[in-house]
Amino acid sequence: AQTVTQSQPEMSVQEAETVTLSCTYDTSESDYYLFWYKQPPSRQMILVIRQEAYKQQNATENRFSVNFQKAAKSFSLKISDSQLGDAAMYFCASSRAGSYQLTFGKGTKLSVIP
Amino acid sequence: DAGVIQSPRHEVTEMGQEVTLRCKPISGHNSLFWYRQTMMRGLELLIYFNNNVPIDDSGMPEDRFSAKMPNASFSTLKIQPSEPRDSAVYFCASSLPQGAGQPQHFGDGTRLSIL
């Protein structure tokens, strides 16, 4: 079974600054996928970024990037030039290749200070 | 492109009543998921459909819950009779065929309150 741990229940960042959200996971699989989802107060779950475990290159999407450390089973999300609209719950998730199961962490609530 | 569409967005009803939540997946997606989100338990997978067929309903809490997918563009989650502990946000998600880490795309959710 896969487990996903987000050790920071809450974080805050000054507007325009950079923040990193932590995520660690545990899996015995060699082929799997990792995701970050954003849930703003409007409650919609929005896919932020996706990483394929067999790719060493870290995924990036505009101001969002990941630091994927496969050996350490770490998958942190970096948000650069933070904006007020980035305030949300962020969920880390994993799935093994060939499986529909998506395992979520408990989430990190990010506040952006103007 | 239209995303996953859920209705209603909010539902408030008295315990004992029947509740029906609706979902329209993204066109072309053949995998559909129903989740429940609460503060205590986080996101829980209730049921997974593939090509309109229920594959895994092990997350459905009890017989009061049922889900159907009569065609590729529509699914319902029904609670009968409803209880206050069913109060939660219910999400529907869809994806392309699983197997290559296809991301799940979520709807806006239905906030259900059972009084």
Side-chain angles (χ1 to χ4, degrees):
Chain A
Q2 297 192 324
T3 60
V4 176
T5 302
Q6 294 179 250
S7 59
Q8 306 151 314
E10 296 188 26
M11 290 197 71
S12 62
V13 61
Q14 205 77 29
E15 193 176 5
E17 297 296 308
T18 295
V19 65
T20 298
L21 309 183
S22 301
C23 173
T24 57
Y25 60 93
D26 189 18
T27 180
S28 58
E29 304 291 332
S30 59
D31 194 10
Y32 52 91
Y33 300 85
L34 299 164
F35 308 87
W36 278 98
Y37 281 88
K38 168 186 176 182
Q39 187 176 35
S42 63
R43 133 184 129 226
Q44 184 184 11
M45 291 283 286
I46 303 165
L47 177 67
V48 175
I49 205 162
R50 170 180 175 268
Q51 175 78 42
E52 298 163 343
Y54 61 84
K55 287 189 177 179
Q56 293 187 350
Q57 186 173 7
N58 289 324
T60 63
E61 285 290 340
N62 301 314
R63 298 182 296 108
F64 298 86
S65 61
V66 298
N67 183 4
F68 175 46
Q69 301 289 329
K70 191 170 184 177
K73 294 184 179 176
S74 171
F75 183 61
S76 59
L77 176 69
K78 186 172 82 171
I79 306 173
S80 304
D81 185 25
S82 297
Q83 300 175 0
L84 295 177
D86 295 333
M89 283 289 288
Y90 286 82
F91 292 93
C92 180
S94 70
S95 71
R96 62 177 175 83
S99 172
Y100 57 88
Q101 293 273 7
L102 195 57
T103 302
F104 287 91
K106 297 282 187 194
T108 296
K109 183 178 181 181
L110 177 67
S111 300
V112 180
I113 303 165
Chain B
D1 289 343
V4 176
I5 299 172
Q6 290 186 247
S7 65
R9 188 145 170 79
H10 305 276
E11 176 85 12
V12 180
T13 192
E14 294 185 347
M15 66 177 293
Q17 296 297 307
E18 178 180 289
V19 174
T20 299
L21 310 182
R22 298 172 177 80
C23 175
K24 177 179 169 57
I26 294 172
S27 178
H29 284 191
N30 74 335
S31 295
L32 185 137
F33 308 81
W34 282 100
Y35 288 89
R36 178 171 67 177
Q37 185 181 36
T38 61
M39 288 293 292
M40 291 295 293
R41 300 172 70 96
L43 271 159
E44 303 173 276
L45 177 65
L46 300 177
I47 189 168
Y48 160 57
F49 289 89
N50 185 50
N51 290 326
N52 313 339
V53 177
I55 303 299
D56 180 3
D57 65 355
S58 60
M60 296 286 265
E62 47 200 273
D63 292 345
R64 297 184 298 105
F65 285 68
S66 63
K68 294 182 179 179
M69 192 165 185
N71 56 62
S73 58
F74 184 66
S75 176
T76 59
L77 178 67
K78 187 174 292 188
I79 308 172
Q80 167 63 19
S82 58
E83 296 182 4
R85 60 192 168 119
D86 302 331
S87 298
V89 178
Y90 290 81
F91 286 100
C92 176
S94 71
S95 74
L96 291 169
Q98 291 296 305
Q102 294 295 337
Q104 296 179 21
H105 299 268
F106 287 75
D108 287 348
T110 295
R111 182 177 294 281
L112 178 63
S113 298
I114 308 297
L115 306 177

